[in-house]
């Protein structure tokens, strides 16, 4: 059985024009998304800013309320759970945020930050056990125990992200939603945090939903990768195959747009025209068709369904598999 | 003569015993029409170096302690305010990281571009010239776009307007400080493509500041890698990426996941970037360096030319 199952999840935000006007329009931040994560697995989620990837992560842990659809954790529907029942389930899933500066309370010491999670779920029965557990958690994320009494501002970005990870680990979760955990960090520190997340997964069998905009990072850490565009999943496949043989034209363009370190690489570059359209008025038919270099007439009217193009490679495109010719 | 020649630039923040050395003995040249990348992590001094070229860092808190910045042979550190005004835009133009924060939100973009024209090419301060510039940077329907306010444009479009504004004065040198960091990858590819294209057509030199080594491979003729205020390696771009010589450059390249690079463990650089004012003695990278020897802590190594065109600040580069 899957650890997490997301079925037809929708998150629509109302848009109001002026203070007293009625809601006429919605931003379809997440629009009919389904997927599952197995225990101990890493699922990567990539997309450009505004595509709804963060909202999707937040909707799963119920930090924003889903409009429709369901989220099943260990087979149990948590979408409409509330109060203490939801709080008890939250032990199973935690979140790590993008901004290690914004996600730690500046008035709390590291001990208080990590200990708060232990207190809420009453995981330790004595002050000394609590103390011991906090030291253990700090060690697990590579921080010295002497740091327990310090405040977040005394740490560097990478160290703060480690504190955030320790806080998530405190309740021994089965799933951690990592929302751009390394994009605010320096290049040399990024690798430290990626390695730490991988080590922790091996030791504790935690599953990750790894959200990022950097496809190289996502491919490195994930077994499977989902690509999101304007609130919809446009392709999902094994990490290796999605890089080598991307099926959806958007995935192809996304991969070709990444500047590469290797000077020998003669990869062709596909430059997409235009910007991501507004999610309030997404284009009809395939949401990608205005920027798609191979769009046909039916792409403007028929919404493509996610279909299995190759074994375990799903793409939402009428023409999936067609190679785009690069401009040069 | 080189277009830009920075010689042994030293810049402090603060004065007296509390002075923090942000740029320490930096030398760099850029020839006409050349693209040079300045690479480094946050806080390494790459942005203040770039801003210093047109003396855009306010003094105080900054203090220039030594060195020269020769732009077309004349030292900008000795220029009067009037002279500085004429080179800002006239010889060197800037494009910054966040286009949204660099544009004035209460003026139409057309007028903002025209302002630059009025200062540097008053005879050309017309709508027609603004439209030509907007076309040049690939903005569709420029006739209507020039009446837009910045908030009506996407980040990629705003950055194009910034580039149009920088080009309005026909500079010899375009300094682009992380021009694509705030943009999405597909938009980043558009902007980099535009810069490459403009460089070919207009023949200006570009100083590109970035932390992304992939962009270096894409854009640069030569690269300077900075680590806390000093250049540690200076080299032609393709050679540096193919065979980095300084242990920091090597570590930096190895710590970035590569596409289709497999699931091998990344080689992370241990520790953190030292804070300004709290540098380790001797080589500043020594505490994080895999090949550091005890003598590395004795003195700051010199930047030496080890092969033609390749400069390295590490006496043990052969063993790394």
């Amino acid at each position: 059985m899957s650890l997490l199952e997301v079925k037809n999840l929708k998150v629509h935000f109302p848009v109001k024009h002026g203070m007293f006007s009625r809601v006429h329009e919605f931003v379809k931040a997440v629009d009919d998304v389904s997927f599952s994560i197995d225990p101990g697995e890493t699922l990567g989620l990539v997309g450009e800013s505004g595509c709804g990837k963060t909202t999707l992560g937040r909707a799963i842990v119920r930090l924003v309320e889903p409009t429709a659809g369901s989220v099943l954790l260990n087979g149990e529907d948590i979408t409409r759970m509330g109060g203490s029942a939801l709080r008890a389930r939250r032990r199973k899933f935690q979140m790590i945020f993008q901004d290690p500066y914004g996600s730690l309370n500046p008035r709390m010491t590291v001990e208080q930050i990590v200990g708060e999670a232990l207190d809420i779920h009453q995981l330790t029965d004595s002050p000394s056990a609590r103390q011991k557990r906090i030291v253990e958690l700090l060690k697990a994320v590579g921080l010295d125990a002497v740091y327990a009494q310090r405040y977040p501002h005394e740490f560097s970005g990478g160290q703060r992200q480690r504190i955030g990870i320790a806080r998530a680990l405190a309740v021994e979760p089965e799933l951690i939603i990592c929302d751009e955990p390394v994009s605010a960090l320096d290049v040399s520190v990024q690798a430290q945090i990626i390695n730490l997340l991988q080590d922790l997964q091996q030791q504790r069998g935690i599953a990750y939903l790894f959200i990022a905009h950097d496809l190289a990072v996502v491919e490195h850490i994930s077994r499977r990768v989902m690509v999101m565009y304007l609130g919809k999943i446009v392709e999902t496949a094994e990490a290796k195959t999605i890089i080598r043989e991307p099926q959806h034209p958007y995935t192809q363009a996304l991969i070709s747009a990444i500047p590469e370190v290797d000077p020998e690489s003669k990869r062709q570059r596909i430059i997409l025209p235009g910007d991501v359209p507004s999610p309030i008025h997404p284009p009809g038919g395939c949401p990608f068709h205005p920027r798609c270099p191979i769009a046909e007439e039916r792409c403007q009217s028929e919404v493509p369904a996610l279909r299995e193009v190759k074994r375990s490679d799903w793409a939402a495109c009428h023409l999936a598999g067609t190679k785009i010719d690069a401009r040069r | 003569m080189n277009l830009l020649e920075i010689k042994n630039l030293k810049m402090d923040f603060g004065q007296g015993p509390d002075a923090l050395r942000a740029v320490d003995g930096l030398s760099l040249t850029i020839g006409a029409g050349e693209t040079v990348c300045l690479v480094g992590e946050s806080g390494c001094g790459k942005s203040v170096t770039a801003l210093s070229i047109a003396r855009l860092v306010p003094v105080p808190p900054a203090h220039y302690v030594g060195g020269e910045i020769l732009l077309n042979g004349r030292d900008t550190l000795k220029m009067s305010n009037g002279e500085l005004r004429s080179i800002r835009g006239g010889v060197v133009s800037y494009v910054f990281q966040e286009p949204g924060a660099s544009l004035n939100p209460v003026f139409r973009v057309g007028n903002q571009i025209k302002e630059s024209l009025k200062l540097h090419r008053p005879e050309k301060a017309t709508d027609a010239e603004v439209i030509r510039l907007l076309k040049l940077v690939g903005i569709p329907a420029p006739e209507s776009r020039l009446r837009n306010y910045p908030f009506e444009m996407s980040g990629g479009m705003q950055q194009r307007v910034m580039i149009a504004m920088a080009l309005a004065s026909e500079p010899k040198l375009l300094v682009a400080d992380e021009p694509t960091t705030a943009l999405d990858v597909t938009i980043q590819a558009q902007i980099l493509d535009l810069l490459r294209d403009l460089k070919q057509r207009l023949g200006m030199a570009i100083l590109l500041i970035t932390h992304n080594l992939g962009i270096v491979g894409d854009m640069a003729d030569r690269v300077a890698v900075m680590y806390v205020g000093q250049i540690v390696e200076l080299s032609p771009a393709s050679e540096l990426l193919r065979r980095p010589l300084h242990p920091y450059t090597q570590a930096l390249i190895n710590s970035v996941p590569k596409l289709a690079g497999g699931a091998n463990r990344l080689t992370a650089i241990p520790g953190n970037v030292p804070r300004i004012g709290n540098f380790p003695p001797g080589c500043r990278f020594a505490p994080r360096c895999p090949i550091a020897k005890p003598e590395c802590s004795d003195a700051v190594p010199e930047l030496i030319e080890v092969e033609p065109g390749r400069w390295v600040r590490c006496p043990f580069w052969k063993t790394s």
Side-chain angles (χ1 to χ4, degrees), chain A residues 89-103:
Chain A
R89 302 307 183 286
R90 281 225 165 105
R91 237 198 98 176
K92 299 284 176 211
F93 52 88
Q94 289 288 311
M95 191 148 180
I96 303 170
F97 298 91
Q98 169 169 9
D99 181 5
Y101 301 80
S103 55

Side-chain angles (χ1 to χ4, degrees), chain A residues 7 25 80 113 118 143 145 147 182 195 200 219 247 263 282 285 293:
Chain A
K7 284 184 186 165
E25 295 175 311
R80 272 159 263 295
I113 289 168
L118 299 171
L143 288 175
Y147 291 147
V182 297
N195 285 344
L200 291 170
E219 186 235 1
Q247 302 295 321

Side-chain angles (χ1 to χ4, degrees), chain A residues 94-150:
Chain A
Q94 289 288 311
M95 191 148 180
I96 303 170
F97 298 91
Q98 169 169 9
D99 181 5
Y101 301 80
S103 55
L104 301 174
N105 188 333
R107 290 163 177 258
M108 287 164 83
T109 61
V110 172
E111 184 182 343
Q112 287 167 330
I113 289 168
V114 178
E116 192 180 28
L118 299 171
D119 298 341
I120 287 171
H121 295 284
Q122 292 161 2
L123 297 178
T124 49
D125 38 22
S126 69
S128 66
R130 181 176 183 269
Q131 185 77 27
K132 214 178 122 210
R133 178 87 179 115
I134 290 169
V135 170
E136 216 173 80
L137 285 162
L138 290 181
K139 279 212 177 109
V141 297
L143 288 175
D144 201 278
V146 298
Y147 291 147
Q149 301 307 323
R150 297 203 188 161

Side-chain angles (χ1 to χ4, degrees), chain A residues 257-260 267 269, chain B residues 192 196 213-220 241:
Chain A
I258 300 170
E260 240 184 332
R267 212 184 36 193
R269 183 193 292 277
Chain B
L192 293 180
R196 246 192 319 259
L213 288 160
I215 292 180
V216 174
D218 250 25
M219 302 285 296
L241 294 173

Side-chain angles (χ1 to χ4, degrees), chain B residues 17-314:
Chain B
D18 298 331
L20 301 172
R21 181 66 47 97
V23 180
D24 196 5
L26 182 136
S27 301
L28 186 68
T29 60
I30 300 179
E34 191 183 24
T35 303
V36 176
C37 268
L38 200 53
V39 186
E41 297 179 89
S42 48
C44 73
K46 54 190 193 301
S47 285
V48 285
T49 303
L51 291 173
S52 297
I53 296 169
R55 242 171 72 199
L56 289 174
V57 191
V59 177
H63 291 278
Y64 292 98
V65 187
E68 294 179 307
I69 300 175
L70 301 175
L71 195 61
N72 270 338
R74 297 185 44 233
D75 191 353
T76 59
L77 294 183
K78 297 203 177 76
M79 280 184 189
S80 67
N81 283 338
E83 284 175 294
L84 280 174
R85 252 199 309 279
S86 74
I87 65 147
R88 288 175 184 159
V91 185
V92 50
S93 284
Y94 285 82
V95 175
F96 297 103
Q97 176 170 351
E98 278 205 38
S102 316
L103 290 165
N104 191 329
V106 298
F107 290 105
R108 298 179 197 276
V109 296
N111 288 340
Q112 296 190 49
I113 297 172
K114 216 181 275 171
E115 193 183 353
S116 171
L117 286 170
K118 275 180 197 153
L119 272 172
H120 298 285
R121 291 193 292 149
E123 74 287 354
K124 283 279 192 181
T126 57
D127 274 358
E129 178 65 7
V130 174
I131 289 169
R132 188 190 71 86
L133 285 164
L134 288 176
K135 249 186 212 147
L136 187 70
V137 296
I139 289 182
E143 294 81 3
S144 58
R145 278 297 191 176
L146 92 171
R147 297 195 47 79
N148 275 171
Y149 287 98
F151 76 89
E152 296 174 289
M153 299 183 135
S154 66
M157 283 295 154
Q158 290 175 347
Q159 196 59 291
R160 285 174 195 269
V161 170
M162 282 300 295
I163 295 172
M165 203 185 294
L167 296 180
S169 52
E170 300 183 332
K172 301 266 185 312
L173 173 66
L174 180 70
V175 181
D177 187 356
E178 304 257 12
T180 59
T181 307
L183 307 175
D184 280 316
V185 262
T186 58
I187 309 299
Q188 165 171 296
Q190 291 175 1
I191 298 291
L192 293 180
D193 198 46
L194 172 68
L195 284 176
R196 246 192 319 259
D197 181 47
L198 288 173
K199 192 194 119 147
Q200 262 186 6
R201 280 202 275 168
L202 309 177
M204 63 193 169
I206 297 179
L207 176 62
L208 184 68
I209 294 163
T210 180
H211 66 273
N212 185 336
L213 288 160
I215 292 180
V216 174
D218 250 25
M219 302 285 296
D221 299 321
R222 284 191 303 133
V223 203
V225 181
M226 274 187 93
Y227 188 71
V228 286
Q230 296 178 327
I231 290 180
V232 295
E233 184 163 359
L234 178 68
S235 159
S238 56
E239 284 180 48
L240 178 124
L241 294 173
R242 199 176 300 130
R243 193 169 55 94
L245 299 181
H246 195 281
Y248 174 65
T249 319
Q250 293 170 349
L252 208 57
I253 290 175
N254 286 333
S255 66
V256 189
K258 313 212 169 28
L259 270 189
N264 294 335
R265 202 179 156 79
L266 296 175
T267 33
I269 308 177
N272 292 297
V273 180
R275 283 195 187 172
I276 292 186
N278 198 10
F279 295 139
C283 171
R284 292 177 184 173
F285 186 59
R288 307 176 74 192
C289 179
I291 60 158
K293 299 183 170 45
E295 55 264 44
C296 290
S297 305
D298 294 345
V300 179
E302 292 293 316
L303 189 67
I304 38 177
E305 189 167 19
V306 296
E307 284 168 25
R310 303 206 62 176
W311 298 71
V312 180
R313 195 186 287 278
C314 177

Side-chain angles (χ1 to χ4, degrees), chain A residues 3-313:
Chain A
L3 171 65
L4 175 81
E5 221 181 316
V6 174
K7 284 184 186 165
N8 306 99
L9 194 71
K10 289 183 185 177
V11 183
H12 294 181
F13 295 114
V15 183
K16 280 187 181 176
H17 297 288
M19 207 190 291
F20 302 108
S21 64
R22 268 199 245 146
V23 174
H24 294 294
E25 295 175 311
F26 291 90
V27 173
K28 294 179 178 174
V30 177
D31 200 16
D32 205 1
V33 166
S34 305
F35 64 92
S36 65
I37 300 179
D38 287 336
E41 183 196 30
T42 304
L43 177 66
L45 176 59
V46 278
E48 296 182 271
S49 52
C51 75
K53 54 190 194 300
T54 294
T55 307
L56 175 57
R58 287 177 178 244
I60 291 168
V61 297
R62 295 274 310 276
L63 287 178
V64 295
E65 289 301 318
T67 312
S70 53
V71 177
L72 278 69
L73 194 75
N74 284 324
E76 191 181 23
D77 193 342
I78 59 164
T79 336
R80 272 159 263 295
M81 218 173 248
S84 58
L86 177 64
R87 190 172 305 145
R89 302 307 183 286
R90 281 225 165 105
R91 237 198 98 176
K92 299 284 176 211
F93 52 88
Q94 289 288 311
M95 191 148 180
I96 303 170
F97 298 91
Q98 169 169 9
D99 181 5
Y101 301 80
S103 55
L104 301 174
N105 188 333
R107 290 163 177 258
M108 287 164 83
T109 61
V110 172
E111 184 182 343
Q112 287 167 330
I113 289 168
V114 178
E116 192 180 28
L118 299 171
D119 298 341
I120 287 171
H121 295 284
Q122 292 161 2
L123 297 178
T124 49
D125 38 22
S126 69
S128 66
R130 181 176 183 269
Q131 185 77 27
K132 214 178 122 210
R133 178 87 179 115
I134 290 169
V135 170
E136 216 173 80
L137 285 162
L138 290 181
K139 279 212 177 109
V141 297
L143 288 175
D144 201 278
V146 298
Y147 291 147
Q149 301 307 323
R150 297 203 188 161
Y151 288 91
H153 74 261
E154 298 175 73
F155 295 92
S156 68
Q159 287 171 320
R160 276 180 230 190
Q161 200 54 290
R162 287 174 195 266
I163 299 168
I165 295 171
R167 174 177 60 185
L169 288 180
V171 297
E172 292 169 13
E174 292 171 30
L175 171 70
I176 298 182
I177 313 278
C178 310
D179 186 8
E180 303 256 16
V182 297
S183 39
L185 304 178
D186 261 323
V187 194
S188 75
V189 183
Q190 263 188 21
Q192 292 176 9
I193 299 297
I194 292 171
N195 285 344
L196 172 66
L197 287 171
Q198 284 184 313
D199 291 345
L200 291 170
Q201 179 168 54
Q202 270 187 355
Q203 292 157 11
R204 298 162 194 241
I206 308 166
Y208 294 132
L209 175 63
F210 194 93
I211 304 170
H213 65 274
D214 186 337
L215 198 54
V217 170
V218 168
E219 186 235 1
H220 175 80
I221 198 166
S222 315
R223 196 167 67 83
R224 281 186 305 138
V225 174
M226 295 194 292
V227 182
M228 208 168 168
Y229 188 78
L230 275 182
K232 289 184 193 300
I233 303 293
V234 295
E235 181 161 1
T236 158
E238 302 278 319
K240 282 191 197 82
T241 46
I242 206 162
I243 300 297
R244 290 208 192 102
E245 297 157 54
Q247 302 295 321
H248 197 285
Y250 178 62
T251 319
Q252 294 180 32
L254 207 56
I255 291 169
S256 88
I258 300 170
E260 240 184 332
V261 175
D262 182 7
E264 250 98 285
S265 144
K266 290 281 174 283
R267 212 184 36 193
Q268 302 243 303
R269 183 193 292 277
I270 305 160
I271 306 247
L272 288 180
D275 291 306
V276 181
S278 150
I280 302 174
H281 303 286
C286 170
F288 184 58
H289 86 257
R291 301 177 78 196
C292 181
I294 56 166
E296 290 178 349
E297 217 172 295
R298 63 172 159 165
C299 301
Q300 297 174 20
S301 49
E302 291 170 46
V303 181
L306 205 58
R307 62 189 171 93
E308 195 162 14
V309 182
K310 277 191 342 189
R311 214 171 68 84
S312 70
D313 193 334

